[in-house]
């Protein structure tokens, strides 16, 4: 069943302004349709006046007097003839309408340059769509491309934007390698630097090539209209999902299709893995997820393996339990998270045994966000300590019933350092930044349905939730608000979403304090007596 779009929330008059703009645009279009004849006649009168003024300037001065006398005589004759002024007015209006008509020539076929481009593309496809045994080949050297290309569109620069191809039935379109060769060829011949969508109709032996428009990059972090347990990873194409969200792009309200990730006990993809190159936007994605989790009343633990300080804006905020950057603190934090997961499971099990609902503290979402944890694992091993990633096994395996969600962001060069538990239990995957088709397929499990480009904006990539399709993704702009190089409007948007600071002097939980909390959680009778 198709999901209907969520209703807009009227805030600060933006909906009234948008409705007013729509009404004004509709009224202007209706007025243009009604006044179109007058506009045509006015344009024709302007053309006739310009022609008369040009003819008058070309008339020699010695002949201007007789010309004026002749014109005046004609006006006098027309005025004296019955119905003369009316006929003269009708004639003038008809001449103005004739000269003011739209004389743009209708395009009946491709131009010479477009025909040459289609011909070269047809010749390039001949070795792939023809065999010597075919008595009447659809693709043949020197053949007619009109039979193979049933539809085509070009942009202003003369490049193909849409192409409909018919291919023979014996082409092995069921093999991924055969289809990949055709897609690579069409990508190269139609122009690089753009994203192409290839829609294969194996039953009808047809291929539709279409150039995709760029995803919006001006949508900043903001309060999204979502249900509890839903997180907006980013935005995608309109045909990819059956839902839209009202957002503000700058000051303009829009409805855009989102990629929604659902977490909680009933989620099939309770944990997330984000992979990308440096500067691709994985930290932006983690900040966006953290802000949405805090807005929904969850607790957040952040482990910054890169040590860049990009999460310092969250330190001391309500709902943020800790922000750790060192291997010792990360080890203690993850150890506490593992024991907290076990405590929640035990408390929930005991409550269900006596027929009571689970305690409130076990239903509060706990988010564990790790950015480049392989760096901390390497440092811990170098110092002779345990691997912090080993503590993730309990939250990854048993986090779904305990309302514990793990989000891991890592770079392509360090993926081999992630343990098997991360790969096995992170069924929601995101790939950001420029990446080869094989790299995207290795992470998502499927190749992308479009052709990746070499230059993409930060936060641009692909997402796949479980066994679903691969979506194009653009992460909302969520920069570090303390980064002066970021856009001021985006920084202000993040600052407005940050929770209030905790009252009193705030100090991050040290490794020793976290170990003490873990020990108290492991001994409930001691925790009850602790102040």
């Amino acid at each position: 069943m198709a999901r209907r779009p969520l209703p807009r929330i009227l805030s600060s008059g933006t909906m009234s302004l948008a409705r007013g703009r729509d009404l004004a645009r509709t009224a202007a279009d209706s007025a243009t349709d009604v006044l179109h004849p007058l506009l045509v006649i006015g344009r024709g009168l302007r053309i006739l006046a310009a022609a008369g003024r040009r003819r008058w300037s070309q008339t020699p001065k010695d002949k201007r007097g007789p010309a004026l006398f002749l014109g005046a005589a004609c006006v006098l004759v027309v005025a004296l003839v019955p119905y003369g002024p009316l006929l003269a007015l009708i004639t003038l209006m008809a001449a103005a309408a004739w000269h003011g008509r739209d004389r743009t020539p209708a395009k009946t076929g491709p131009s010479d340059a477009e025909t040459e481009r289609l011909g070269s593309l047809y010749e390039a496809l001949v070795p792939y769509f023809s065999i010597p045994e075919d008595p009447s080949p659809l693709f043949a050297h020197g053949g007619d491309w009109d039979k193979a290309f049933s539809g085509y569109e070009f942009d202003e620069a003369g490049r193909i934007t849409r192409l409909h191809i018919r291919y023979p039935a014996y082409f092995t379109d069921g093999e991924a390698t055969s289809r990949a060769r055709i897609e690579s060829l069409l990508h190269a011949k139609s122009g690089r630097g753009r994203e192409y969508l290839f829609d294969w109709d194996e039953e009808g032996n047809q291929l539709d090539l279409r150039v995709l428009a760029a995803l919006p990059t001006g949508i900043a972090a903001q309060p999204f209209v979502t249900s509890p347990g839903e997180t907006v990873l980013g935005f995608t194409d309109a045909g990819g999902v059956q839902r839209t969200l009202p957002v503000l792009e700058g000051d303009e309200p829009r409805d855009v299709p989102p990629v929604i990730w659902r977490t909680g006990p009933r989620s099939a993809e309770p944990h997330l893995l984000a992979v990308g190159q440096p500067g691709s936007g994985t930290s932006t994605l983690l900040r966006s997820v953290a802000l949405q989790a805090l807005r929904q009343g969850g607790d957040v633990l952040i482990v910054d393996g890169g040590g860049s300080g990009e999460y310092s804006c969250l330190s001391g905020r309500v709902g943020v339990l800790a922000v750790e950057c060192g291997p010792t603190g990360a080890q203690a934090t993850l150890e506490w998270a593992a024991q907290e997961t076990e405590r929640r499971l035990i408390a929930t099990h005991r409550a269900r045994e006596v027929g009571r609902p689970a305690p409130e503290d076990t239903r509060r979402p706990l988010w564990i966000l790790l950015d480049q944890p392989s760096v901390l694992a390497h440092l811990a091993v170098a110092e002779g300590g345990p691997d912090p990633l080993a503590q993730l096994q309990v939250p990854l395996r048993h986090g779904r019933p305990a309302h514990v969600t793990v989000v891991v962001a890592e770079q392509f060069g360090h993926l081999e350092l992630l343990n098997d538990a991360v790969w096995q239990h992170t069924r929601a995957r995101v790939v950001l930044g420029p990446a080869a088709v094989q790299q995207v397929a290795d992470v998502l499990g499927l190749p992308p349905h479009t052709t990746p480009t070499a230059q993409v904006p930060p936060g641009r990539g692909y997402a796949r939730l479980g066994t679903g399709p691969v979506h194009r993704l653009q992460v909302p702009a969520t920069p570090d608000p303390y980064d002066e190089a970021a856009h001021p409007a985006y920084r202000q948007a993040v600052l407005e979403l940050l929770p209030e600071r905790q009252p009193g002097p705030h100090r991050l939980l040290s490794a020793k304090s976290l170990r003490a909390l873990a020990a108290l959680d492991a001994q409930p009778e001691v925790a009850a007596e602790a102040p």
Side-chain angles (χ1 to χ4, degrees):
M1 179 182 295
R3 300 185 182 92
R4 290 182 296 179
L6 291 175
R8 287 178 178 269
I9 293 181
L10 300 179
S11 60
S12 66
T14 56
M15 285 301 300
S16 300
L17 293 176
R19 189 178 296 107
R21 293 193 192 97
D22 294 340
L23 292 176
R25 190 179 297 108
T26 303
D29 294 340
S30 302
T32 301
D33 295 337
V34 173
L35 301 177
H36 180 70
L38 296 179
L39 296 176
V40 173
I41 293 175
R43 184 166 57 247
L45 291 175
R46 186 171 63 253
I47 294 174
L48 291 176
R53 185 166 54 251
R54 185 169 56 253
R55 184 67 180 271
W56 177 259
S57 62
Q58 295 176 357
T59 303
K61 292 183 178 181
D62 56 344
K63 294 183 179 181
R64 291 183 179 180
L68 286 176
F69 178 77
L70 180 60
C74 292
V75 171
L76 180 62
V77 171
V78 170
L80 296 177
V81 173
Y83 304 103
L86 179 60
L87 294 176
L89 180 61
I90 293 175
T91 304
L92 179 61
M93 295 297 102
W98 176 259
H99 286 84
R101 71 189 189 280
D102 187 7
R103 291 177 285 184
T104 303
K107 187 176 180 180
T108 58
S111 62
D112 295 339
E114 295 172 352
T115 302
E116 183 179 357
R117 183 179 290 270
L118 290 173
S120 63
L121 188 58
Y122 173 83
E123 292 291 336
L125 291 172
V126 169
Y128 301 93
F129 286 151
S130 64
I131 57 176
E133 295 81 5
D134 191 351
S136 56
L138 183 62
F139 285 82
H141 291 292
D144 190 2
W145 56 265
D146 289 339
K147 298 179 181 179
F149 301 155
S150 57
Y152 46 85
E153 295 178 7
F154 292 86
D155 58 7
E156 295 79 4
R159 297 191 301 175
I160 294 176
T161 58
R162 187 154 194 171
L163 183 64
H164 192 76
I165 304 174
R166 293 175 54 244
Y167 56 87
Y170 52 75
F171 175 72
T172 57
D173 52 3
E175 300 179 2
T177 55
S178 300
R179 295 166 61 161
R181 286 196 298 267
I182 299 299
E183 294 176 1
S184 178
L185 174 65
L186 293 175
H187 182 204
K189 293 295 183 180
S190 301
R192 299 186 182 274
R194 301 183 297 175
E195 284 193 86
Y196 295 89
L197 174 64
F198 299 96
D199 186 9
W200 290 85
D201 182 8
E202 301 179 8
E203 184 178 0
N205 300 322
Q206 296 179 0
L207 169 62
D208 189 69
L209 177 148
R210 180 162 53 93
V211 176
L212 295 175
L215 295 176
T217 59
I219 301 178
Q222 54 193 280
F224 298 115
V225 184
T226 56
S227 301
E230 293 183 344
T231 303
V232 178
L233 297 180
F235 305 98
T236 183
D237 300 300
V241 295
Q242 299 177 349
R243 178 176 175 179
T244 59
L245 282 183
V247 298
L248 287 177
E249 185 175 1
D251 295 332
E252 186 70 19
R254 292 185 54 188
D255 286 338
V256 293
V259 177
I260 300 293
W261 174 39
R262 295 173 177 84
T263 57
R266 294 178 176 86
S267 174
E269 304 86 20
H271 308 295
L272 175 70
L273 173 62
V275 183
Q277 302 287 356
S280 60
T282 54
S283 300
T284 297
L285 176 61
L286 259 64
R287 272 191 300 271
S288 177
V289 171
L291 292 176
Q292 296 181 61
L294 292 172
R295 179 177 174 79
Q296 294 182 2
D299 294 330
V300 178
L301 283 173
I302 301 177
V303 176
D304 184 10
S308 58
E310 294 188 0
Y311 304 95
S312 59
C313 60
L314 297 171
S315 300
R317 303 287 178 173
V318 175
V320 181
L321 302 182
V323 178
E324 291 293 343
C325 301
T328 305
Q331 174 68 25
T333 300
L334 297 180
E335 182 180 351
W336 176 85
Q339 297 186 7
E340 171 66 12
T341 304
E342 295 175 350
R343 184 195 68 81
R344 292 187 175 203
L345 291 175
I346 295 173
T348 303
H349 179 67
R350 290 177 177 174
R352 290 176 179 175
E353 282 183 341
V354 297
R356 295 180 180 178
E360 182 66 25
D361 60 343
T362 63
R363 290 179 290 173
R364 183 180 177 88
L366 174 61
W367 293 74
I368 306 174
L369 310 181
L370 299 96
D371 193 357
Q372 301 184 39
S374 61
V375 177
L376 295 178
H378 177 75
L379 293 177
V381 173
E383 294 177 359
D387 185 2
L389 293 180
Q391 301 295 332
L392 281 179
Q393 294 187 8
V394 174
L396 286 171
R397 293 177 178 176
H398 309 289
R400 182 173 62 175
H403 295 270
V404 178
T405 303
V406 179
V407 182
V408 180
E410 193 51 85
Q411 299 181 7
F412 276 108
H414 303 155
L415 291 181
E416 67 277 0
L417 299 179
L418 298 179
N419 52 30
D420 295 337
V422 175
W423 287 105
Q424 183 179 358
H425 297 282
T426 53
R427 292 172 49 82
R429 304 283 179 85
V430 174
V431 175
L432 298 179
V437 175
Q438 188 59 42
Q439 288 180 314
V440 178
D442 292 341
V443 176
L444 302 183
L446 283 179
H449 62 294
T450 62
T451 53
T453 57
Q455 301 294 332
V456 294
R460 175 70 177 81
Y462 299 93
R464 188 188 183 200
L465 303 179
T467 58
V470 179
H471 300 284
R472 288 205 309 165
L473 181 70
Q474 178 62 51
V475 178
T478 316
D480 181 7
Y482 301 153
D483 184 9
E484 297 181 355
H487 195 282
Y490 300 159
R491 294 167 54 192
Q492 183 62 31
V494 175
L495 288 175
E496 293 176 357
L497 291 178
L498 290 175
E500 298 180 355
R501 292 193 176 275
Q502 296 181 2
H506 172 73
R507 179 175 57 88
L508 290 181
L509 295 177
S510 63
K512 183 177 180 180
S513 301
L514 284 171
R515 287 198 180 96
L517 287 176
L520 290 176
D521 290 338
Q523 301 176 4
E525 63 279 0
V526 179
E529 299 176 359

